[in-house]
Amino acid sequence: MPGKRRKEGSVEVWTSLVEEARKAGVEVASNTVGLWRRTAHGLAERLDEVLPVSDIRDLIVYDTPTVGGGLAAGFYEASRKSLVAGIDSSRTRPLPIGLNYVSFVSGVLVILEPPPPGRGPGRVEPMADSVVLPETGDYEHVGLELDLDMFSMEAGALQLASGKYSGLIRGLLMDGPLVDPPSLVSSARRSEASLKAKAEELARIRAVSLAGLWSRGVVVAGFVKRARGRLVAGFLEEVEGFEFLEDVPDSLLALILRGVLEERFRALGACRQSVRGLIVTRPVPLDSLSDRVPDAIIYEGLLEEAGFHGARFYTSLVVPGGCAGNLRRPARVEFLARSLEEARVEAVRVASLVEAWLVPGAWLPSPVLVAHRACTIRSREGGKLLREVASRYALEALHGESDASPLIDIFS
C-alpha cells in the first residue's frame, strides 16, 4: 500500500504562518535599510578616519603603468609581475574503518606565475596524512587533535615557502587568517600536556615562517573569505564619534564603505575598466581584540622571542573588485607590521596584491582560490573514496593473517 504522507499542519495554521513570515520579512528589511542609511551617512562624514591613507588617490590602481601613480598603483604593478604563493589545508570528518575512526588531512603550497590571475603554469607542493583516532570517534574528544594535525600541514607549507621559495615569491596569501584558528593555542593550553606542546610548536613555526618572509619584503597576508563578526566595526565603535557602528557587522561595514568610496572614486574617474579604486579600511591591531583573538598575543610573544622585535598582527576589511562589480562579497585580511603607520601602508600593499591577482566573478585572489581547490577534500565523495581504499587495504592485510579470518567481516 502507498506510504503515508506526513501531516504538515492545518491550512489555517499555515495561512497564519505565511502572513507572519511576510511581516517578519518587511520588519527585517526596514531595520536593515535603517542601519544601512545611518552607517552610510556616518562613514561619509568621517571617511578620512576609516581609510588607511589620508589621500584617496593613493588607493587608485591602473591596469597599465602610470607616471606619478600613487601608493597603491606602485604596489599593484609590482604584484602583477611577481610570483605569488597560496597556502591552505583541509581534513575529512572522522570516518569509521573497522573498529577505529580515521581522518585524512591535506595541505598545499601553490606557486603561481604571472600574468594574473595565475593563467601561466604553476607549481604545487602537496602534503597529506592520515590520523587513526580512538574507537569512540567522539568529535569533542578528538576535535582539537584533528585541528592540530590539519594545521601542521599549513606549518609545513609555510616552512617550505620560507625556505625553498623565499627568494622567488614576492607575495603569499593564506586561505584564512594568519592567526588561525584564533584560539587554538589557548584551548590546547587547557588540555593535556602533549597537545599543549604540539600547539605551541605549530604556532611558533607558523609565526616565525610568516615573519621570516615578511622581513625579507614578501607581502604576507591571511585572506578571510567570510568577514563575520565585528572585529573592525567593534573596534571603531569605541572611538568617539563612531557610535553609529553599533550593531553593524564587519560584512555590512565593508559593503557600505564600498558604496561610499565608489561615489568618491567615480568623481576622480577611478571606477572604469582600466582604472579602479581599492576598498580597504584602516588597520586594527589584533592584540587589542584579545577577547576574540586570544592567540594574537601568544603569536607576538613568539615573534619577540625569535628576534622579530615589535612585530604585530593587524587586520583590515577589503572588498575585492569593489570598483569592478563586486556587490556582495567582502573579506578580511590579516598582516604584519611594526607600527600603526607602517600598518596603514601595509594594508594598501595587501589590498593591492589581492586586487592584482583577483579572479573576476569569484572575487577571490587566485592563490587563495587555487590552494583551496587543490587541497579541499569533499566530505562525501572524497571521504567515501578514502574510506573504501583504507578498508580494502585493511582486508588485504588481514588475508595475510591465518588466524584473523573472523575479522574480515568488520571491514567488508
Side-chain angles (χ1 to χ4, degrees):
M1 74 186 277
K4 296 180 180 179
R5 294 181 60 186
R6 180 191 298 178
K7 295 181 179 180
E8 297 290 352
S10 69
V11 173
E12 292 81 5
V13 170
W14 271 100
T15 301
S16 299
L17 288 173
V18 169
E19 173 59 19
E20 290 302 317
R22 182 194 68 80
K23 290 193 293 185
V26 170
E27 182 179 348
V28 168
S30 177
N31 292 342
T32 303
V33 169
L35 191 62
W36 178 283
R37 288 174 177 164
R38 185 176 76 245
T39 306
H41 176 76
L43 287 178
E45 290 289 318
R46 307 186 67 119
L47 185 60
D48 290 345
E49 297 176 62
V50 180
L51 299 182
V53 290
S54 56
D55 190 339
I56 193 174
R57 289 171 295 186
D58 278 330
L59 295 178
I60 297 175
V61 300
Y62 307 85
D63 280 344
T64 55
T66 302
V67 177
L71 187 65
F75 291 149
Y76 179 81
E77 184 63 22
S79 295
R80 283 166 58 90
K81 296 178 179 178
S82 304
L83 269 71
V84 298
I87 289 177
D88 194 15
S89 64
S90 179
R91 68 173 171 85
T92 66
R93 59 182 176 80
L95 303 169
I97 299 174
L99 297 178
N100 286 95
Y101 280 74
V102 178
S103 182
F104 297 91
V105 295
S106 64
V108 69
L109 167 67
V110 297
I111 308 294
L112 300 183
E113 309 267 359
R119 291 187 293 269
R123 279 168 268 180
V124 177
E125 298 277 7
M127 301 170 191
D129 199 2
S130 58
V131 185
V132 179
L133 305 170
E135 83 177 84
T136 59
D138 181 0
Y139 185 82
E140 293 298 324
H141 176 74
V142 301
L144 176 59
E145 186 171 359
L146 282 179
D147 284 342
L148 292 173
D149 286 321
M150 182 176 72
F151 286 104
S152 68
M153 299 286 105
E154 290 189 7
L158 279 168
Q159 281 184 310
L160 191 60
S162 63
K164 181 178 178 180
Y165 294 103
S166 62
L168 299 175
I169 60 174
R170 304 313 305 159
L172 182 142
L173 288 167
M174 304 282 297
D175 186 358
L178 295 187
V179 181
D180 187 23
S183 60
L184 182 67
V185 181
S186 302
S187 298
R189 285 181 170 178
R190 296 190 294 270
S191 186
E192 57 189 81
S194 61
L195 293 184
K196 172 187 172 184
K198 184 174 182 179
E200 290 177 344
E201 177 61 13
L202 288 177
R204 186 194 64 78
I205 293 172
R206 188 183 184 96
V208 172
S209 298
L210 289 167
L213 288 163
W214 163 70
S215 66
R216 291 192 288 273
V218 179
V219 187
V220 175
F223 186 88
V224 186
K225 296 189 287 286
R226 293 179 178 85
R228 292 173 175 166
R230 303 186 71 247
L231 290 182
V232 177
F235 181 86
L236 289 174
E237 184 190 335
E238 300 301 317
V239 179
E240 185 178 354
F242 281 89
E243 296 82 4
F244 61 87
L245 290 180
E246 184 180 4
D247 299 327
V248 177
D250 280 351
S251 56
L252 186 61
L253 171 61
L255 291 177
I256 293 174
L257 179 64
R258 178 198 60 78
V260 172
L261 264 177
E262 280 192 19
E263 291 183 9
R264 304 284 181 94
F265 285 141
R266 287 196 182 95
L268 296 171
C271 263
R272 58 181 193 268
Q273 186 172 0
S274 59
V275 185
R276 56 188 178 275
L278 303 181
I279 289 90
V280 56
T281 66
R282 57 177 275 195
V284 170
L286 276 184
D287 57 16
S288 66
L289 308 167
S290 57
D291 57 329
R292 282 163 286 181
V293 192
D295 284 5
I297 295 175
I298 296 172
Y299 270 58
E300 289 171 2
L302 293 168
L303 291 182
E304 191 71 25
E305 292 175 7
F308 297 99
H309 304 297
R312 299 178 72 188
F313 289 90
Y314 291 83
T315 186
S316 291
L317 298 178
V318 297
V319 182
C323 234
N326 183 8
L327 304 177
R328 62 186 182 87
R329 293 194 65 171
R332 188 172 63 81
V333 290
E334 290 185 7
F335 47 90
L336 283 158
R338 288 189 179 86
S339 67
L340 183 56
E341 287 308 306
E342 184 180 300
R344 289 176 182 272
V345 175
E346 195 68 10
V348 179
R349 195 159 74 127
V350 169
S352 302
L353 172 65
V354 169
E355 200 75 18
W357 286 82
L358 196 63
V359 179
W363 310 123
L364 298 172
S366 53
V368 169
L369 182 61
V370 172
H372 180 75
R373 293 286 177 87
C375 80
T376 297
I377 308 167
R378 299 296 175 190
S379 58
R380 286 192 177 181
E381 297 84 357
K384 182 179 179 182
L385 174 62
L386 291 171
R387 181 185 175 187
E388 289 180 356
V389 170
S391 296
R392 292 298 176 187
Y393 275 95
L395 282 171
E396 185 176 311
L398 284 176
H399 279 303
E401 301 290 337
S402 59
D403 59 344
S405 56
L407 298 177
I408 289 177
D409 286 344
I410 295 175
F411 297 93
S412 300

